[in-house]
Amino acid sequence: MANHSSAAEGGTLERLGYRGVMVQVLLLTFLCTNLLLIVTLLSNSCFYTRTRYILFTVTLFSDSLILFISDILFLVNRFKMHIALCVPIYILVLVYIFVTPLTLTAMTLECYVAICLPLRHGELCTTRRTLHCILIIHGLSLLPVTVILSVFFISAPPIYYSIQRVCSMDMFVFLKWQDNVKLVLYQVYFLAMAATICFSFIKIMKAARAASREDKKSEKKALRRVSLHGFHLLLCLVQLWCPFIETAVLHISITLFIDVRVSNYILFYLSPKCLNPLIYGLWDEKILQALKKKFLSWRQEKE
């Protein structure tokens, strides 16, 4: 399986053509957008004390890191390396693959508290608690990679460490039961995050129906925001299933495997990372106002 995977990855760029150029243009565009939003959020003190904006900044950092690392791996996937060099890359990638959906889930809970428990919002969503939440998110994100790597180091034969391979998510899973362990972990996270989103959506929808006319506008905004969280989270969670889909396709055809892997990368890895600044950044009035001020100050400096 590993040989097939290496051969497939080695031929990916040859089959990409214009899609490869399109991916690079999109990546550069959205990395620049993320950087602009990060600079804007960090340069305005009004965003430091709001849980929503702190968590949004975390997703921007996470998405930017994943985009950058995955693109580097995508471009150098013809080169082989020792497992020792790939381990830190694998840890970073897998941890931050989970950080974004877990942070989106936390943002949904913040929205639920703001609408359904408004009297406790100030108590529960303080800056201190938000920082604790970020630490918990990173701890939960570190758990799957710890289990997967522990299982790998226990079961891998010594000769496996001396072989140079293309650094990929597949190289640490070479037995069927390891795939099953990984699948169980991903399913647990998937179900927990999906249940949280559904719970929050239902509660906010009930609150919106019971709200007075004056409050209905804010309730509808919150409902729309949770719906966007749900859609974005769905795309993020689908990427957790991509390795299993690719493994199944690999047994059918290497050519089909390459096409499926490229399509998965564009649809479920690249798209959610690109949607993040568009959905949450450019639709938020405060962030838009801060961006306008930033552009005006840059124009004044140039003049």
Side-chain angles (χ1 to χ4, degrees), residues 85-269:
L85 294 174
C86 194
V87 167
I89 298 172
Y90 181 76
I91 291 172
L92 266 178
V93 170
L94 196 57
V95 164
Y96 282 95
I97 278 176
F98 279 95
V99 163
T100 294
L102 284 170
T103 306
L104 287 172
T105 305
M107 290 170 72
T108 302
L109 286 174
E110 185 273 336
C111 188
Y112 159 73
V113 172
I115 298 302
C116 300
L117 303 170
L119 298 179
R120 298 200 62 194
H121 185 265
E123 174 194 347
L124 295 174
C125 299
T126 61
T127 304
R128 185 187 178 95
R129 287 178 183 270
T130 304
L131 295 177
H132 289 165
C133 177
I134 292 169
L135 289 176
I136 292 169
I137 286 169
H138 281 77
L140 289 172
S141 301
L142 194 59
L143 182 60
V145 72
T146 303
V147 173
I148 292 168
L149 286 179
S150 299
V151 169
F152 168 77
F153 289 132
I154 291 169
S155 56
I159 194 172
Y160 199 83
Y161 300 106
S162 61
I163 301 172
Q164 290 192 338
R165 298 177 181 275
V166 173
C167 187
S168 72
M169 302 286 279
D170 305 326
M171 69 185 301
F172 296 100
V173 178
F174 59 93
L175 296 172
K176 180 64 179 175
W177 66 270
Q178 290 176 310
D179 242 349
N180 294 335
V181 170
K182 188 177 175 182
L183 179 61
V184 169
L185 278 171
Y186 282 18
Q187 282 183 329
V188 169
Y189 276 74
F190 181 94
L191 292 173
M193 288 185 277
T196 304
I197 289 285
C198 291
F199 168 80
S200 301
F201 184 84
I202 291 168
K203 288 291 184 180
I204 291 173
M205 189 166 61
K206 286 181 179 179
R209 287 179 178 177
S212 62
R213 289 182 180 178
E214 294 178 0
D215 295 331
K216 277 194 174 180
K217 287 185 178 180
S218 61
E219 309 286 353
K220 285 180 179 178
K221 283 183 180 179
L223 199 60
R224 185 179 63 182
R225 192 160 69 243
V226 172
S227 301
L228 291 172
H229 285 328
F231 174 69
H232 190 185
L233 187 61
L234 177 64
L235 291 178
C236 291
L237 293 177
V238 167
Q239 77 184 28
L240 300 181
W241 291 81
C242 289
F244 305 106
I245 296 169
E246 291 166 7
T247 301
V249 170
L250 180 61
H251 296 295
I252 301 171
S253 166
I254 290 180
T255 303
L256 181 61
F257 168 80
I258 295 170
D259 290 334
V260 169
R261 168 159 284 191
V262 173
S263 299
N264 283 343
Y265 178 75
I266 294 172
L267 291 174
F268 303 118
Y269 284 87

Side-chain angles (χ1 to χ4, degrees), residues 31-80:
L31 277 174
C32 291
T33 305
N34 281 5
L35 181 62
L36 175 62
L37 286 169
I38 289 169
V39 169
T40 303
L41 289 165
L42 294 180
S43 61
N44 288 270
S45 58
C46 64
F47 297 125
Y48 294 173
T49 55
R50 296 288 298 275
T51 297
R52 184 194 313 168
Y53 297 117
I54 296 171
L55 293 176
F56 176 56
T57 306
V58 171
T59 64
L60 289 175
F61 273 116
S62 173
D63 287 348
S64 299
L65 183 64
I66 288 291
L67 285 173
F68 179 74
I69 295 176
S70 63
D71 190 46
I72 295 297
L73 291 176
F74 195 66
L75 292 174
V76 301
N77 65 0
R78 293 181 179 182
F79 301 98
K80 297 182 179 181

